[in-house]
Structure formats: C-alpha cells, structure tokens
Amino acid sequence: MSDQLFSFGSDAVHDAHPPQVMMMSDAQRATIRALFEELGVPDAKSQFAIVGELTGTTIGSVNELTASAAARLINSLRSRIAALGQSRTGNAWVDREEDTWIDRL
C-alpha cells in the first residue's frame, strides 16, 4: 500500500484551482437593504453588527459578504421580521404557535 494514501492537500491538480467564492449578488444586496429598512435599522454600524450576529461573519464592507452568508442573512432577517408582531413570554408552553391536542379537547 502506498504511503501517499493519506497525504491530504498534496494533489497538485486541486491546489492549482482553489474553489471560487461567490460574492453577494445585486439582488441579494437589494433584498438585504429592504429587510434592514423594514426592521428599522438604517445605519451601517448596526447593520454590520447584525450581519456578524446572524452569519458569524465579521465584515468591514458590504462587498465582503459572500453569497452563502447573504442567503443565511436574508433568511434570518425574514425570521426576525416575522417575529416582530409576536410577544414572547419565555414560557415555551404559553408561546406555542399551534394548538395541541389538549387545547382541542
């Protein structure tokens, strides 16, 4: 058996062509801008803080956001908007969204 079996990262073909990172699209940028506007977060400093909180990615410029991070951000912002009208007590039983079989009795 070859000693080269587990020599990870030494494949010259893969090293020559690193995977390309897709950056955020114009459509994603427009969606994110609209979602921040709907949430009432107008300033860049607050927006960047939310991006870091929701994606785990710290950015210094909008151009640094990848397409995958932007997709996660869009989903998270939509969830926040959906939760705006809901009041939370901290009690999972009281905060449930659907009736249980007990409620239907």
Side-chain angles (χ1 to χ4, degrees), residues 4 9 15 21 24 27 30 36 43 55 59 63 66 71 76 78 86 94 98 102-103:
Q4 300 263 338
D15 291 344
V21 175
M24 173 178 52
F36 274 130
D43 63 295
T55 67
I59 60 171
N63 296 327
T66 64
S76 297
R78 285 181 175 152
Q86 301 172 357
V94 174
E98 297 178 4
I102 294 172
D103 296 318

Side-chain angles (χ1 to χ4, degrees), residues 4-68:
Q4 300 263 338
L5 184 60
F6 293 107
S7 56
F8 296 107
S10 65
D11 188 358
V13 173
H14 289 79
D15 291 344
H17 302 289
Q20 295 293 323
V21 175
M22 297 295 297
M23 301 312 286
M24 173 178 52
S25 70
D26 290 338
Q28 286 177 312
R29 181 186 300 235
T31 300
I32 292 168
R33 183 179 297 126
L35 292 170
F36 274 130
E37 194 172 303
E38 191 171 343
L39 281 170
V41 183
D43 63 295
K45 184 178 179 181
S46 298
Q47 291 174 357
F48 285 4
I50 292 172
V51 169
E53 176 187 336
L54 297 179
T55 67
T57 304
T58 302
I59 60 171
S61 166
V62 173
N63 296 327
E64 296 174 16
L65 197 60
T66 64
S68 62

Side-chain angles (χ1 to χ4, degrees), residues 74-97:
I74 289 168
N75 288 334
S76 297
L77 290 174
R78 285 181 175 152
S79 294
R80 281 196 174 185
I81 290 168
L84 280 178
Q86 301 172 357
S87 62
R88 297 289 181 197
T89 64
N91 181 326
W93 180 258
V94 174
D95 292 341
R96 68 190 184 282
E97 295 179 12

